[in-house]
Amino acid sequence: MKPPVFPGFSDTRKLDFRLLLGTALTCVLSEPSLARADDAQELAAIKEQMRRLAAQVEAIEHRQALKNGHQAASARAVSGARHTATASRTPSYSGVRTATTTQGGFSGAPSGLRTDGPADPGIHFSGGSEPVQVGDTGQPALNSGSGFAGFRWLPQQPEHTPSRSSIDLTSSSPSSITQTDVDSLPPIFSIGGISVKLGGFVEFSNIWRDSNMTSGPATAWNNFPYANSPNHGLSEERMSAQLSRMSVLMEANPSKDVRLQAYVESDFGGSAGTTNSVQISGYTPRLRQGYFTFTQKDWGLHILMGQAWSLATNYAKGILPRQEQLPAVTDNNQIPGITFTRVPQIRIGKDWHQKYWLGLSVEDPQATVAFSSALSSGGTLPAAYGEKVGARVYYANSGGVLLNPSAQYTYNPAPDIILKGAVDTSIGHYEVFGLARWFRSLAVEPGMTTTRKHTTFGGGVGAGMTVPLGTKKLQMAGNVTAGEGIGRYGPSLIPDTTPNARGALSPVPELMGSLGLIGHPTPSVLLYTYGGIETAGRKRYMGADGAQYGYGVNDLNLGGCDVEFGTCNAQTRTLASLTAGGWWHFVEGRYGSVMGGLQYTYIRKFAFRGNDGNGNSVYPTTSGNTVYVTFRYLPFQ
């Protein structure tokens, strides 16, 4: 009576025979070489080849098992008893650990290797490296041969398992919208003891503004033109995919109390000198975030080094990265009134039971400078009252190696320093912080022939909160920051400083704040409305000609601000905005998710008072409207 033959058995038996034959020939041919000085190298190469062959055989067997598993099911009951008896008599070959099937497959193949599913692929050698491993997906782990665990695909979710979206729109700042939500995603693969998660999305935005600003998907709120500009009232239509974003989170746990993380996030918001939108919109990748963190759970210690959101940014919980309380808006420049930068920094934090938090951050400095008349670094100021000539002031240089040569970088004597305390309670998150800054300039004062160094101090205080309003479906988030020389921390970029009569940089007073309501009528819909404001004070000196100079002067002739092609040197006093919009998560599955967003923003800009040239006071104002329609495909969610 002929033994039963199952589909795939013949091909697999040929593979097993070829593997054994190849192994035998390799051993025979390598026998004479044992006396040579490079025996160890040849032996290592042979072992590596055998491991690769074994991994290939296992991958093929696994594919055959998946393909023919339903055909073999009918024979499992018949061969069960025979399989048990055979397993007890299966020989063990030198150097190869054999295994019989655990899924009821035929076990009578030569050498005892399983034929209908993944067998134990371990191949052990005396003094050799760790065995090749095959994960649940049948993908072999590639061992480096040096004891390093190498690359390994992590198990995938079975096809029949119901999928559950990782997108959570029930928070006040959903990281699926404001960040890339990579923390909630499963690891894709591991390298040694490091697991790797991938996140991100592909975005398409259609942007409409009622004044032409020639701007991409980030609105420069302070640049809405007055009526003297031909761009005022000239609508702008622009499409963009620049905000498509990718992120990688690498995690390791050297011990149960220690966690190491490295995070890199990038989009296409950069623009090279040759970039244009005429035929090819070739906008360049840029670094949004790139940092690593160290956490010691028992001590409540948190250390961050790299480029990340500033500690001055409002947080939704604690002071940990990727927990920032960012508005769920579509504009990449956020909204006027919030406090943020995204810069290189060194941060150390401490928590007490994940409830009370204290953090200190040392961050990369940079300042903005403005004046009531045209002035560049190295220029001469108008003479102060009682002087015949003004001081010459230097405060910035063009970018050098690995910096933008078209940009001006101010002199920075010290980093910005931020100290923040926060508390998480059952009725919300609350925080306060202090900010210290230093500004530097060089000046050749009247009557002098050499420069004199001037260093001035600025900074401010701020607070933030995120609270539920009686229900999980409605939250309120707000922040406020006040001080001098803090304009850099607001999206409108009201200037930090202005030169005084001696050429020192005087910090400009400023107040910024925002308040938002975030609602969740359904789990897949988020609605929001935000109001924001940024306002500046005056810093000026009296000139020898009786005019005011600096920032916030009120004797400029601004009569041309409302006349097309007129002259308008108005300085911004206040920016106020109202934003409303929402997101709809309308597609999800094993293939990812799709979201759509719609947003409207109204902004009003007010200038400091001036005159019309006839002694009458004028208060130039302008306004702007923006509409965003955005779609995002999130393949990892």
Side-chain angles (χ1 to χ4, degrees), residues 24-77:
L25 289 176
T26 302
C27 294
V28 171
L29 293 176
S30 62
E31 183 68 22
S33 66
L34 295 176
R36 294 202 299 264
D38 57 350
D39 284 352
Q41 296 180 356
E42 290 189 5
L43 185 59
I46 293 170
K47 292 176 181 178
E48 184 64 27
Q49 183 179 11
M50 292 178 66
R51 283 191 289 269
R52 287 197 299 268
L53 290 171
Q56 292 174 7
V57 170
E58 293 303 325
I60 293 172
E61 288 178 339
H62 186 56
R63 289 198 300 269
Q64 290 175 339
L66 293 177
K67 180 178 180 181
N68 302 320
H70 65 283
Q71 298 177 359
S74 60
R76 287 174 183 170

Side-chain angles (χ1 to χ4, degrees), residues 434-457:
L435 167 65
R437 307 192 67 196
W438 289 265
F439 310 100
R440 175 168 290 173
S441 65
L442 298 175
V444 181
E445 298 182 7
M448 303 294 291
T449 58
T450 59
T451 60
R452 179 181 177 182
K453 180 172 60 180
H454 296 280
T455 302
T456 53
F457 176 80

Side-chain angles (χ1 to χ4, degrees), residues 375-380 392-395:
L375 178 70
S376 59
S377 182
T380 300
R392 180 180 297 176
V393 59
Y394 299 85
Y395 57 83

Side-chain angles (χ1 to χ4, degrees), residues 155-235:
Q156 295 179 355
Q157 186 179 13
E159 289 291 336
H160 62 273
T161 302
S163 62
R164 181 180 182 274
S165 174
S166 62
I167 293 180
D168 179 15
L169 298 185
T170 62
S171 73
S172 58
S173 181
S175 56
S176 295
I177 297 174
T178 61
Q179 311 266 5
T180 58
D181 204 21
V182 68
D183 291 86
S184 68
L185 302 176
I188 302 297
F189 56 84
S190 67
I191 303 177
I194 302 172
S195 65
V196 181
K197 298 180 179 182
L198 301 180
F201 51 80
V202 178
E203 177 178 295
F204 169 79
S205 289
N206 186 81
I207 307 115
W208 178 89
R209 302 181 181 96
D210 66 347
S211 286
N212 185 21
M213 302 175 68
T214 318
S215 180
T219 304
W221 305 112
N222 200 13
N223 288 357
F224 273 94
Y226 291 98
N228 70 303
S229 171
N231 288 320
H232 176 75
L234 181 66
S235 64

Side-chain angles (χ1 to χ4, degrees), residues 410-455:
T410 54
Y411 304 153
N412 300 316
D416 293 357
I417 297 178
I418 302 169
L419 179 65
K420 173 176 281 190
V423 58
D424 292 306
T425 72
S426 59
I427 56 173
H429 168 89
Y430 305 89
E431 59 183 50
V432 294
F433 70 90
L435 167 65
R437 307 192 67 196
W438 289 265
F439 310 100
R440 175 168 290 173
S441 65
L442 298 175
V444 181
E445 298 182 7
M448 303 294 291
T449 58
T450 59
T451 60
R452 179 181 177 182
K453 180 172 60 180
H454 296 280
T455 302

